[in-house]
DNA sequence: CTTACTGTACCGTCTGGACGGTCTTGTCAA
DNA sequence: TTGACAAGACCGTCCAGACGGTACAGTAAG
């Protein structure tokens, strides 16, 4: 891992996520991202030689961040807490953030559906891992899918649930997870 | 409701859904839809004077179809089956279709996120209705969210679950629903 | 004569990307 | 210490192509 000498790269990625969230996934143009990041278009293209590379970086950063958070929560987990429980807690916290943290995904899909493949692979891997660690398959299925539903609602910004309901849901899931 | 004299409208809508699914949501251009529907671009714009109207029709048709299916399943439901149970069954069947039936949604979002508002409203309405009909709030939350998760996986075409697992999930949910 | 198109030509706009130039920073010989 | 110089980071402009949408003449059916 080379030492970063500038933070332009990160600024650009953050700007891209912001633009996607605020002006809609279809309006994620290089110009918009560049101006939002306080960088010229040339500078943007210097960091990410093509739009596809920008999207790819967005995906990779997102996945890496989640993976690190999951690992951290696992090792820091209170003794006796099941992996499924930590997964539920972490995902619920993540989904409780007011900003739909990943609405840039829509931009990526619109650009090229293949950007989903790493995400799919990651999910499958996480799921398989949980499957190996959870004795009760039924509980795993219900909890995993419910969390996926929570993620989906956050992504589509359709918060049907009240805060109380969300809390009740999470506690129910933790109960099911045992 | 005027009697339809032509089926061009439906052909076009189906073609739009196909194009969105096959060539990616970002490639949903009027030209592509027209040629896929076997209709000239002029003819397409004759039926849907603007792209936004086409998207709107896509959304409305989808919502109407689901609502009708839900009503039908409710009235035809076996006596004693709870509304939540019918909702689970119908949605599970719907999500079991091989084609992601609504990947055009991504196109709509990319075009203008406001196309989501009718969908959000519809979901909220369905949820509120279920809430009034289901005594056990915890069960409702878990089941509704899990179904939402199933829908999401189908939409993103990431089938982490095997057929057996999906069956087990649905039966578990029905058990929870009581 | 109307409806429901077809087919073609065209326009204005937007977008990704290429390109050449510019400013800054680090290196190293004298 | 200083000056030369190269590499890195970025700017601003320009362009070809794609897309949504318009206009309009023609046509086949009822």
């Amino acid at each position: 891992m080379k030492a970063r000498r500038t933070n332009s790269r990160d600024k650009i990625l953050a700007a891209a996520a912001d633009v996607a969230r605020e002006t809609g996934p279809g309006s994620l143009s290089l110009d918009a991202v560049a101006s939002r990041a306080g960088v010229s278009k040339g500078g943007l293209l210097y960091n990410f030689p093509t739009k596809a590379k920008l999207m790819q970086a967005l995906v990779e950063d997102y996945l890496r961040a989640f993976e690190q958070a999951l690992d951290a929560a696992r090792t820091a987990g209170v003794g006796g807490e099941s992996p499924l429980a930590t997964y539920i807690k972490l995902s619920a916290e993540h989904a409780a953030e007011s900003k739909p943290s990943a609405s840039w995904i829509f931009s990526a899909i619109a650009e090229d559906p293949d950007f989903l493949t790493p995400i799919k692979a990651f999910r499958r891997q996480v799921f398989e891992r949980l499957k190996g660690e959870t004795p009760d398959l039924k509980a795993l299925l219900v909890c995993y899918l419910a969390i996926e539903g929570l993620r989906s609602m956050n992504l589509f910004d359709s918060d049907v649930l009240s805060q109380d309901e969300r809390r009740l849901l999470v506690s129910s899931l933790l109960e099911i997870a045992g």
Side-chain angles (χ1 to χ4, degrees), chain A:
Chain A
M1 186 68 70
K2 207 166 39 176
R4 289 249 142 265
R5 279 189 288 185
T6 65
N7 57 347
S8 278
R9 190 195 140 91
D10 297 328
K11 273 199 321 195
I12 289 170
L13 288 177
D18 288 348
V19 170
R21 181 166 4 91
E22 289 167 19
T23 70
S27 310
L28 193 72
S29 65
L30 295 186
D31 287 293
V33 173
S35 88
R36 174 66 180 239
V39 160
S40 77
K41 195 174 173 182
L44 169 61
L45 254 16
Y46 176 81
N47 284 277
F48 302 97
T50 182
K51 195 180 185 182
K53 295 269 194 218
L54 173 62
M55 298 300 194
Q56 196 184 328
L58 230 30
V59 172
E60 283 168 2
D61 265 42
Y62 177 73
L63 255 37
R64 184 146 30 83
F66 186 78
E67 193 169 21
Q68 285 176 2
L70 194 58
D71 279 353
R74 263 165 189 272
T75 60
V78 194
E81 192 179 67
S82 71
L84 179 56
T86 49
Y87 176 77
I88 292 173
K89 280 185 186 171
L90 181 69
S91 301
E93 280 170 27
H94 214 257
E97 284 167 19
S98 50
K99 297 184 191 177
S101 53
S103 57
W104 50 262
I105 283 188
F106 294 130
S107 308
I109 298 176
E111 199 68 26
D112 183 352
D114 288 346
F115 283 120
L116 270 184
T117 25
I119 301 185
K120 286 192 217 171
F122 180 73
R123 293 211 172 166
R124 183 176 294 272
Q125 172 193 326
V126 168
F127 180 70
E128 293 299 330
R129 184 171 170 186
L130 282 174
K131 210 155 72 172
E133 294 167 332
T134 309
D136 186 355
L137 181 59
K138 281 167 72 171
L140 169 63
L141 288 174
V142 172
C143 290
Y144 184 81
L145 263 288
I147 286 298
E148 215 57 28
L150 211 55
R151 221 188 290 285
S152 157
M153 309 210 78
N154 177 259
L155 197 59
F156 285 96
D157 200 24
S158 56
D159 43 353
V160 168
L161 272 52
S162 70
Q163 280 217 338
D164 282 346
E165 286 167 344
R166 204 176 302 137
R167 268 194 287 271
L168 181 57
L169 170 73
V170 174
S171 73
S172 301
L173 291 182
L174 288 174
E175 195 180 318
I176 293 174

